Amino acid sequence: MSAPRYERFRSLRASFGVTHTDEGTWICPSQEAYETGVQHYDADEYLQAVARLEESLSEALSALEECRGLCEGPRDDEDEEEEMQPGLYEAIAAHYIQVLKCRQQCVLEIATKPGRISATEDFIPSHLDLLQFAYSQVGNQTLAAECAASYLLFYPTDEPMLEKMKQYRTELGGDAAVTARQSIQHYVQRSLMEKKLIYYAVEHLGETFHDPDLWTPDELIPENLREKHRENQEKQKQETLDVEEREKRGALPFEGIAVTMDSQQMNGTQRVVFDRVLTESECKDLLRLTKAAGEAGDGYRARRSPHTPHERFEGLTVLKAVQLAQNGDVEWRDAKLLLQASEKSRRIIESYFTPGKKLHFSFTHLVCRRAVDGKQEGRMDLSHPVHADNCLLDPEGQECWKEPPAYVYRDYSGILYLNDDFQGGGLFFTEMDTVTVTAEVRPKCGRLVAFSSGKENPHGVWAVRRGRRCAIALWYTHSPEHAEQERVKADELMEQRAMEQDQPDGDKHQGTDGSSRSSSEPRAPSRAAKPADQRQKPGLDRKQQPKVLRARDEF
């Protein structure tokens, strides 16, 4: 057994008070066979996939037996004996329950590959699911049916697999006997028996238990413990998502930027907060640009907020900023800084969430929300109601409909804050019910909050009750066809400006006031790029029709 994997299992056994093991006997299964099998499966190389997946499954079941053997032995609970001094029967029961719990956790140990802290979800059932399809593709319907029947021992009501079983029975003939593998039958029956004993101890003896399996049937769990079990399952799924998120992160492209909060600290998935993205002086320069937004920007309804009558709304797009610079209404360097700050944010978010896969700007908006004096007393609304950025949120149905008029092509969102000298205006995330707050982010200069744009991240903005809150709102897409056209035009104007600045002084472009404005802008980088190919897995069609919901305003 490799040293890191043995250390993890020794910690596992120690958590259950087990000390006796033959340290040289337990050998964890190689994850190489499983990963190689999945790679062959994804490449449609089903013969190779079958061989490696069968090898991995055999190793996993063998390692489970060795792991379970390590759970035997005396308990190291001297401290507990001093405090409780249980009687003989109590001691025997307590020891036996600890052994059973240790055995149950073995499936997590064999499903955790070196370097990871979370196990592969549904490790044993996933082998059978992959194998049944791979066998069917190579024409071995007998073994495909056997694997399907074995999988149904874990999930007996799984409709797609039940349909597969009907298909296999038809192909094999009605008289063909289809049974699950004996090894899987033994594994499931034994596991269910142990779970039943453990849950009895939890209900009647005050024990605790974190069930490692997602397939445990609800009827096995005492009714008063089922809600807790579901919460533990959701937590386990979330931990798996967090690990996958951390594993695919890339290195940040700029020095000095700090990750202040990640998904785990924000009680969600695909969420992060960066600090020190901008300096104080850069925030001040961009705030100077926001004054132009108040005077000549693109606010709604005479610059009243589209979401609340208690706030004024001022917005400026990147193209509008560059056009104002052309007219001499703002400094070129301030308009350039808006482009640079948003591009810096894009690169940070891309490297963190989707390294190697291009993110394109979908929309960029310099936005300020100002509290209207005299209209804050008794205020009960939000600065921006809870919503998701690429689907229509339906709290009652606990669904988010990814269809127009929602901006369904948006993949990631970001907010780069410029100031904190106001009251209220914090960002918050909620559950799908739009009521249960899961995380809050307080704005400050240079802070960038980023998150995926889907239903996993409903969010809103608390009311701005005093002062003026300014930020750059950012949306990104993997689809080049939905790239922000205003930004392309703004980049072209910046390139034209740079070329003019490179000309002799006599040919320098004159501003509208007749003066020559200096600038040292380099040529803006081209945003044209093709996204990497992405393999898509088929999903089930949604049959339920959505309610008629009103699309959220763009900003």
Side-chain angles (χ1 to χ4, degrees):
M1 180 189 307
S2 64
R5 297 222 10 118
Y6 175 73
E7 287 298 325
R8 281 203 301 275
F9 186 64
R10 188 168 64 179
S11 298
L12 168 68
R13 289 183 288 105
S15 70
F16 291 109
V18 179
T19 58
H20 170 72
T21 60
D22 179 357
E23 298 187 358
T25 59
W26 190 78
I27 301 175
C28 65
S30 169
Q31 289 273 336
E32 181 184 358
Y34 179 74
E35 293 183 353
T36 305
V38 172
Q39 290 170 4
H40 286 308
Y41 181 92
D42 289 338
D44 298 337
E45 299 167 350
Y46 296 111
L47 276 173
Q48 297 93 322
V50 162
R52 299 315 301 271
L53 289 170
E54 288 284 18
E55 177 187 344
S56 174
L57 181 58
S58 176
E59 286 182 340
L61 294 174
S62 176
L64 266 172
E65 296 306 312
E66 296 182 36
C67 172
R68 289 169 60 84
L70 292 178
C71 293
E72 302 288 351
R75 299 177 59 214
D76 184 12
D77 58 0
E78 294 178 357
D79 294 337
E80 290 185 16
E81 287 184 4
E82 291 180 3
E83 295 177 8
M84 297 179 55
Q85 302 244 334
L88 176 61
Y89 296 116
E90 290 85 352
I92 293 174
H95 172 70
Y96 184 57
I97 293 300
Q98 297 305 317
V99 171
L100 292 179
K101 290 198 290 185
C102 178
R103 289 174 174 174
Q104 285 284 303
Q105 298 302 312
C106 280
V107 70
L108 297 182
E109 178 61 24
I110 67 160
T112 305
K113 66 181 181 181
R116 287 189 59 168
I117 60 174
S118 291
T120 301
E121 189 175 277
D122 265 351
F123 190 57
I124 301 298
S126 68
H127 280 79
L128 300 164
D129 189 18
L130 296 171
L131 281 168
Q132 68 84 19
F133 185 79
Y135 275 124
S136 72
Q137 294 303 298
V138 299
N140 194 332
Q141 307 305 103
T142 300
L143 288 179
E146 178 186 83
C147 291
S150 301
Y151 179 88
L152 287 169
L153 294 178
F154 296 94
Y155 294 104
T157 61
D158 186 89
E159 291 186 5
M161 194 63 74
L162 289 171
E163 287 297 320
K164 282 286 186 181
M165 277 298 298
K166 289 182 181 179
Q167 176 186 331
Y168 295 143
R169 289 182 186 278
T170 301
E171 293 172 353
L172 294 171
D175 297 334
V178 178
T179 58
R181 294 186 176 186
Q182 196 68 32
S183 59
I184 300 301
Q185 291 183 45
H186 175 67
Y187 172 79
V188 172
Q189 290 169 0
R190 182 178 62 184
S191 183
L192 291 176
M193 179 190 69
E194 292 176 347
K195 290 177 190 292
K196 187 174 182 179
L197 293 171
I198 293 171
Y199 277 116
Y200 180 90
V202 171
E203 185 178 21
H204 299 285
L205 304 179
E207 292 283 350
T208 59
F209 177 51
H210 296 289
D211 197 324
D213 297 311
L214 300 177
W215 55 268
T216 303
D218 281 348
E219 56 268 22
L220 189 72
I221 304 168
E223 190 172 350
N224 61 326
L225 300 176
R226 289 176 188 173
E227 185 61 33
K228 182 65 176 178
H229 174 69
R230 281 190 284 267
E231 291 176 2
N232 289 337
Q233 282 188 320
E234 289 301 319
K235 183 179 179 181
Q236 182 179 332
K237 289 181 181 179
Q238 186 59 56
E239 289 174 350
T240 300
L241 290 172
D242 290 342
V243 169
E244 291 174 352
E245 179 182 319
R246 285 195 295 272
E247 286 186 339
K248 71 178 184 180
R249 287 179 194 164
L252 296 181
F254 303 98
E255 294 183 359
I257 296 173
V259 176
T260 307
M261 290 191 289
D262 61 15
S263 294
Q264 186 173 6
Q265 293 165 305
M266 298 174 74
N267 304 310
T269 183
Q270 297 278 288
R271 304 174 182 176
V272 66
V273 176
F274 305 97
D275 277 334
R276 300 199 294 270
V277 175
L278 296 176
T279 65
E280 290 288 343
S281 63
E282 287 172 332
C283 287
K284 289 180 181 178
D285 290 344
L286 288 169
L287 285 171
R288 182 169 62 239
L289 187 60
T290 65
K291 294 181 180 179
E295 297 168 0
D298 50 342
Y300 288 103
R301 307 167 194 159
R303 292 188 292 277
R304 177 176 292 178
S305 169
H307 306 300
T308 172
H310 304 286
E311 297 175 17
R312 282 170 55 91
F313 180 92
E314 301 157 359
L316 195 66
T317 65
V318 288
L319 179 58
K320 186 67 175 181
V322 173
Q323 290 172 338
L324 289 173
Q326 278 187 316
N327 296 334
D329 296 320
V330 301
E331 295 289 338
W332 273 102
R333 65 187 182 96
D334 293 344
K336 175 187 172 184
L337 181 57
L338 175 59
L339 286 166
Q340 289 177 326
S342 52
E343 169 62 13
K344 184 177 184 180
S345 301
R346 186 198 67 79
R347 290 183 60 191
I348 292 170
I349 294 171
E350 179 184 84
S351 66
Y352 187 86
F353 285 125
T354 65
K357 189 174 182 183
K358 177 78 172 181
L359 275 182
H360 304 270
F361 285 97
S362 169
F363 194 64
T364 309
H365 208 218
L366 178 59
V367 177
C368 292
R369 305 165 187 267
R370 183 196 300 272
V372 177
D373 294 337
K375 291 192 175 182
Q376 301 303 312
E377 186 176 354
R379 180 179 177 181
M380 300 294 290
D381 63 354
L382 297 170
S383 179
H384 198 144
V386 176
H387 63 286
D389 285 342
N390 69 8
C391 53
L392 303 176
L393 196 59
D394 178 9
E396 293 182 4
Q398 291 287 291
E399 185 55 86
C400 201
W401 305 109
K402 197 168 184 180
E403 55 191 32
Y407 302 98
V408 297
Y409 48 82
R410 289 178 176 173
D411 294 300
Y412 286 91
S413 308
I415 307 169
L416 179 58
Y417 296 109
L418 305 181
N419 65 321
D420 62 2
D421 54 343
F422 53 89
Q423 187 180 93
L427 179 75
F428 64 95
F429 293 90
T430 74
E431 300 285 4
M432 287 280 287
D433 61 10
T434 72
V435 176
T436 306
V437 176
T438 57
E440 298 186 60
V441 180
R442 172 65 187 170
K444 74 172 187 177
C445 165
R447 172 165 287 176
L448 171 65
V449 56
F451 48 93
S452 56
S453 303
K455 65 179 183 180
E456 65 277 4
N457 283 317
H459 58 282
V461 179
W462 297 120
V464 179
R465 299 188 175 278
R466 183 183 302 166
R468 185 168 178 255
R469 170 196 184 272
C470 294
I472 303 175
L474 304 152
W475 292 274
Y476 304 100
T477 178
H478 286 308
S479 304
E481 62 269 23
H482 291 112
E484 182 179 17
Q485 294 306 304
E486 283 205 2
R487 190 175 190 92
V488 175
K489 180 63 175 175
D491 286 338
E492 292 173 353
L493 293 176
M494 272 294 178
E495 289 180 354
Q496 179 182 340
R497 168 69 176 174
M499 293 175 63
E500 292 170 351
Q501 289 300 104
D502 290 339
Q503 294 177 0
D505 290 345
D507 296 331
K508 190 173 292 186
H509 176 72
Q510 300 292 313
T512 55
D513 58 357
S515 63
S516 175
R517 295 183 179 272
S518 62
S519 176
S520 58
E521 292 86 8
R523 293 176 64 88
S526 172
R527 299 307 194 272
K530 293 183 178 180
D533 290 337
Q534 183 179 16
R535 181 181 177 91
Q536 294 185 348
K537 295 185 180 295
L540 297 175
D541 294 333
R542 189 181 69 235
K543 297 180 179 180
Q544 182 181 358
Q545 294 300 316
K547 299 178 182 179
V548 178
L549 301 176
R550 188 174 65 87
R552 296 292 183 185
D553 290 300
E554 174 84 25
F555 312 118

